Each structure stands twice: as C-alpha cells, then as structure tokens.
Amino acid sequence: MSGQAAPDGQRSIFILSPGDRDPLCRAAQEAGWRAIGARRAADAPQRFLRSDAQIALVDMRGGGGAARLIAPLVPAVEAGGCALVVLVEPGALAILPQLFEAGATHYITAPVNPEILRATLASAHRLVERLGGGAMQSQRAQRIRRGDALYWEMDRDGAGMRLSESLARHLGLEGRHHAPSVLIGQLQRTERKAVFAALDSMMQTGRPAAFAHAVPDRPGNRLVHHLRFDDGAVAADVEWLSDEQDQDVTSRDNLTGLRSRHAALDWLDRRSGLATTVVLLSISNFDRMNAAYGQVVGDALLGRIARRMEQIVDEVAGHAMVARIAGTEFLVGLTGDAAAAEPATYLARQLIGAIGRPFTAGDHLIRLIARCGIAQARADDDATQLLRRAGAALADARQGGGEGIRIFSAEKRSRQIDADQLETDLRLALHRGEIGIVFQPQYPVDDHHISGVEALARWNHPQHGPLGAAILFGTAERSDYMLPLSAHIQAEALRQAAAWPSALSNLRLSINVTAADIAQPGFMADFLGLVDRSGFPRSRLTVEITESGLIQDVDAAAALLTALRAEGLAVAIDDFGTGYSSLAYLKGLPLDYLKIDSSLAQDIAGSARDRIIVRGVIHMAKSLGLRVIAEGVETEEQLDLLAREGCDYYQGFLRSAGVSTPELIALVLQA
C-alpha cells in the first residue's frame, strides 16, 4: 500500500471555514479523515454534535475573532471530550495564547501541509482518547453496534468479505459473508467498471475513493461506497446518495446516533414470542445539569453517554440493540443467553457504573446517576406491553433506592395492576410472611466500620417480586392498613436485632415510627413494652420519625419525643428537607439526630446554590447539638463534600444497600 491508512478510532472531523470549506475538506479526506464541512458559525455547535466527529477544525484566517467562530463551539467540544484545532496565518502566531485560552487545543498554519495536517490530527486524536479514558471506539464500530450500519470489509487476502446485516438486506443477499464477486454480481453491468476503477485508484494512490450504484430492484435509489484501508484490508462505509433515498432515516436518533424509539419498537415487535429482555435506563436530574451548563453541553453529554453505553453493551452482551427512547431514557434489547435475568442484571450494573464515572466539561467534572428497570418478555407480550413493564420496573427502581435496579421476570405479572388488587394482597401479605426486613448499614464519615443500621421493609410479592418501601407504604396508606403494617415491621426488626451475635453488640438500630403510630392513645407504653419484650437494649435504639408526619401537631410530637428520650431512646427526624416546616421542627423538637433526605444529600455535588443549601442545613443542625446522618450517598464526591461540611454519618449505595441479617453479620466481620 503506497498511501497511509486513516488513523484508528474516531475518523470524522468537523471543519468550520467561512471561505475555504471545500479545499480543507478535501485535504482532510486525503489525510484519511471523513470531513463534514460548514461555512456558518451560527448553527455550527448543533451540526458538530450531529456529525459523529470528535475533532473540530476552525479556520481563523481573515479575522473573525475567537468569540465569533470558536466560542459557540467550545461548550460542545469540551462536554464531548473532543479536540479543537485552529488554522491560522504564519504571521498570526501571536494570537495563539488567546485562542488556547478560548478553548483551542491544537493549531496548524497556512498553507496546509498534508504531513503536518496528518500529524496534528493524530495528536488531536490522542487527546480525545485520553479524555475518553482509553482508546475510543471507531465510528464504524459504533455503527456496527447500532445495527443499522451500511458497511462492508474485505478479508486481508481479498477472497471474502463481510457485509453489515442492513447492507446485505438492501442488496437482497442471504447471510453476511460472501465472495467479492457476489457483491459485484448484484450490480448492473454498466456499473461494475466503476467499482474496479475505484479500487485500482485507491490501491495505486493510497487515497480514499468511492463508487456509486443503483439498488437492485429499486433503480430510483442509489448507494455510494466510500472506500478506505482498515488495518491493511479494504473496507467501505456505505450511505444513501441523498437524504430522500435514506430508507433508515426514521430508525436513527439524530442526536446520539443510536436507534430511535420507532426502530426499537419495530425491533421488539419482530421478536414477539421469542426470548427477549429489555433494560430501560434513565439518567436522574439531567434537567439540573442542563440548567447549570446549557443545552449544548447537555446534548454533547447525551452523545458521550451513548458511546459509553455502546462500549459496555458490546463488551458484556455482544450483539444487542441500543436505542434512545426519549429525553434521557435509553433502551437495550437483549436476546439469547444475554436475555437471562443474571446477565441482564450484570449488564445493568455495568451501565450504571459507566455512567456514574465523571464526565469532563472544560474545568468541570459532571457526575450523573442512572437507574435501570429490566423486563423479560412473556409469550403474549407485544412491544408496547414489554416496554410498559420495563417502565414500571424503572419507576420502582427510582423509588426503591439500593443499587437502582429492578427486574420483572417473564413469570411475573406486570405491576401495572389495579391498585385495589394490591391493597387486597397486602392484607394477606403479613399472614403469608411476605413482609421482610433488611438492614442498611450506617457508617461514620471518617471510618469504614459500621456504626448502626436502619431497618427497612421489603414486600416479597409472590407475583411481582421484591417491592420497595415506597410501593409498600403507599399501598398501606390507601388501604388504611398502616398501623398493623408498622407494628409488624417494628416487631420483626427488634426480634432480629435482639438475636444478633456479640460481634454486632455495638451497633445501633434505627426503626421508623409513622404519624399514624404516634397519634394512637397509649402508643408510648405499647412501644416501650414491645422493645423490652424483644430484649433489645433501649440505649442502642433510635426512633426515626418522618418529617412530613409531624406537620399536624408539632407540640404533641415534641412531648412524645421528650418522653421517649427520657426512657433511654434516641430520636431522629427522618427525610429532613422534604416537608414544609423544617425550621419549625428544628426549633421545637427534642432531637438527637437529623437525617438529611437522599435528594438533598445528593444535591451537595450539584451547583454552588445546591451546596449552600445543604451546607446551611448541616450547620444549623450542628449548632443545635444534633448529629447529622446523610441518606442516599452514592458517590465519593458526595461523601467528601458532606464530611467537609460536618456530616457525622452516612448510608447509601456507595457502601451498601439493605442487607439481610446474615449478610450484615458478614459485613461486620469483614471490616
């Protein structure tokens, strides 16, 4: 091969040049890059985001200033982890510091030298790899994973070739592996000569070449093959010659390049009756990120999320369908062995972890949190029903805490059922032993040893699987079944804790008391009797009262809590930050602990305004002599910031979800 192959990885470059777009695009193509050119700066950020490019080249010759040409692109470039090359006149090197300050990462001087351009783009590409945390996937590899790619690649010896599934379908070929003569045989005789001419030209010069032809049996539609070298072999990216002829336009999400919702539903419909599992993933609080950094940065981040998802799916599940359903919801369709519950759950964990790794946007680190709902198809599911079941699982994952994953197996009915039926089921659940207890560990912010636990209820429904506390208590409130449910949970938590081995003898136990409980005549005597009969020491027990449950009568609640403290129990206000009279509670209630609600604790890693609010809550509590516990801590950044502001304890997915008594014993012994 006399020419040089295009660099590995992302091979597209976006070029913004008001007066010299086409020559610069040709120079980039000769250097082995696919060029997308633009003359207007006004819509450049949107075009860049939709171009699949991770390198932008801006022509700064002739003035224009950084503000007009570079500034609009910088948010998209930085949020996307991309590189920005500027082209300047040799006599204008003095303005480079200004351009680098504005966001440029590399420069070249005019006139463009092919070797210098190739080297500069290679350097820019290496920067993109480092920003991406490793070697970036190639554009072609991304399209392969999307499943709607049009491409082919030849064996090194030229004896065989592999076509994408989509291209083989359009050409009317069965299977994906064929001899080159089979592909050529599909073309009209008058078009075959152009194929050999393009191949010969590329072999002689080493430069990219192209040929076009009509689609068999559809003479009004034409495909163009962009030839290139890939690791010493001939390959081609194929596209429709015009937008009107692109038969797959509705199958692609323009922003991320993933499958669209329409394409995902079609894919699911075609698999009706077959073993299929859907993983539905949602990004939490993305609107706050958009408000803080702007829509352009948000769009760029969605593209990076898509690339991370594609990489994880490719590594863990192999061939799978990945789609953007709407907004910040994404869908992964699994088949074969990957559709089983265990590999699907493992994939969900990997996706949540990948999205949880920080994204860079200039000097900022942006952290995102994802949740996953998983649904396995039943024999009678159509696409809409399966997607609805996955949506129900996702809603449960959002409410239930823990690792943020819920799964509906094929044997379990959808949770989209009549609420009356769920209320009926709850009345039988206690007798059937379906209401269980898990314990979520609590840790000092500066220590890895468990200091206490909170008892949490779980409903192990025979049809719907594990249901979180939000569904359980919501059903209990509607059915006026809160009092017997609460009494059962308190008794069961105390019973299990009283039987803990000596290794857990220093742990505190926190149990929840509801507004309905404290409103009952004789509550205090009954509750203390329950504690004493269990054998669990009062000195290690904390009663947590949900903030919103105290709104009706703060004075009565204060008297009750004072009496409980006098009997040796500690008292905490739970979910602080979600009610309506928080400051009044801090002023009027005798408390030992204040528990910051998970949504408020997670805000500390958000904007400066969020941090000020959380800092104020912690400092108020500390000034009143209260110890502070943060719920729902999910990242090291959240923990570090909470500790810095004076938080004493934390619980959350960062360290542990709720665990059974045997699992808790193992955790304590391992510490």
Side-chain angles (χ1 to χ4, degrees), residues 334-368:
L334 302 172
T335 60
D337 293 340
E342 186 173 343
T345 304
Y346 176 75
L347 172 64
R349 291 193 183 104
Q350 297 304 303
L351 289 171
I352 289 173
I355 292 171
R357 295 197 305 270
F359 293 85
T360 57
D363 296 331
H364 302 285
L365 286 179
I366 297 176
R367 299 176 184 269
L368 302 174

Side-chain angles (χ1 to χ4, degrees), residues 108-119:
I108 54 174
T109 58
V112 176
N113 178 287
E115 293 304 320
I116 294 177
L117 176 62
R118 185 177 287 112

